[in-house]
Amino acid sequence: MLVIFVRAVIIFLIVLVFIRLMGKRQIGEMQPFELVITIIIADLATTPMAQNSIPLLHGLIPALTLVVLHFGLSLISRKSIIMRRVISGKPVIVISGDGIDYAALKSLNMNFDDLSEGLRTCGYINIEDIQYAVVETNGTFTAIPKAEKAPVVNEDMDIKLEEVSLPVNLITSGKIMNANMKLMQVSMDDIKHQLAKMGNFVLKDVMLLSLDNNGKIFMQPFRGKYQVLNTNLKGGSA
């Protein structure tokens, strides 16, 4: 029993490293060859995991071979447009100015229900609202609405807004994130001062505290409602 447990842990960790080396795409974002390689690696890993009579290397070496193959195919795809289309295919326009392209749908082995579902995932219900719809090489949909159906953006209304800034977590579960504090050039005294302004909170009371480059602090205590505070701590410049 202990041997099975140890083998399972070893295989899991090694396959995890293999998958991480292949990139961070989700299943739905993978190219066809990436999905095939991932499925085969998973199958190869389960064989020595379930059968003690099979050496670990008999499963790991083929899996490593597939990882190397993945890197090779990815390199070829980056270097050659022709090979990229051979390996991954190319985007297909399924809706154009003339409406639905039945031949394109048929070539993708899709039906009208698939098309409607893809458009709904893009936020559109009516096909007549769409100027173009494209099925990408990984199977996801991209829908471009007609001009009169396109969402209104701030630029259309000449609204000037402050640029969005990425919040950085400084406290999580009552613990200081020292690397992030250094990144934002914020001291512990700065944080204690802001916590005092929000209600005399101490470190252990804070579930999450983040700061962005606009000086906005978001603080969620373990008990009670979150608070948002605008400060002059913009990247550490108090």
Side-chain angles (χ1 to χ4, degrees), residues 5 8 39 62 70 80 100 152 196 221:
F5 173 78
I39 293 173
H70 171 269
S80 171
I100 299 173
V152 177

Side-chain angles (χ1 to χ4, degrees), residues 134-155:
V134 180
V135 178
E136 307 293 352
T137 56
N138 60 5
T140 58
F141 270 79
T142 298
I144 302 173
K146 294 179 179 178
E148 63 270 19
K149 297 294 183 179
V152 177
V153 297
N154 294 319
E155 185 180 12

Side-chain angles (χ1 to χ4, degrees), residues 87-108:
I87 295 171
S88 300
K90 61 181 181 179
V92 178
I93 298 175
V94 292
I95 296 179
S96 65
D98 297 326
I100 299 173
D101 189 332
Y102 179 72
L105 279 181
K106 189 175 180 181
S107 69
L108 294 170

Side-chain angles (χ1 to χ4, degrees), residues 5 19 30 40 49 51 60 67 108 125 130 147 182 185-186 191 199 202 214 216 230 232:
F5 173 78
I19 298 298
M30 288 183 174
I40 296 176
M49 186 183 295
Q51 301 181 35
L60 298 180
V67 173
L108 294 170
I125 298 175
I130 305 301
K182 184 177 180 180
Q185 301 177 19
V186 177
I191 297 301
V202 295
N214 293 325
K216 182 181 291 185
N230 292 311
N232 59 355

Side-chain angles (χ1 to χ4, degrees), residues 66-154:
L66 290 175
V67 173
V68 174
L69 177 63
H70 171 269
F71 280 112
L73 292 175
S74 298
L75 179 62
I76 293 172
S77 296
R78 289 196 298 270
K79 297 294 184 180
S80 171
I81 295 177
I82 295 176
M83 290 305 299
R84 187 185 312 156
R85 290 180 176 176
V86 171
I87 295 171
S88 300
K90 61 181 181 179
V92 178
I93 298 175
V94 292
I95 296 179
S96 65
D98 297 326
I100 299 173
D101 189 332
Y102 179 72
L105 279 181
K106 189 175 180 181
S107 69
L108 294 170
N109 197 28
M110 296 177 63
N111 55 45
F112 297 112
D113 290 336
D114 297 326
L115 178 61
S116 297
E117 181 180 345
L119 294 179
R120 288 196 297 272
T121 61
C122 295
Y124 298 97
I125 298 175
N126 298 318
I127 293 177
E128 62 265 25
D129 294 342
I130 305 301
Q131 183 68 32
Y132 291 100
V134 180
V135 178
E136 307 293 352
T137 56
N138 60 5
T140 58
F141 270 79
T142 298
I144 302 173
K146 294 179 179 178
E148 63 270 19
K149 297 294 183 179
V152 177
V153 297
N154 294 319

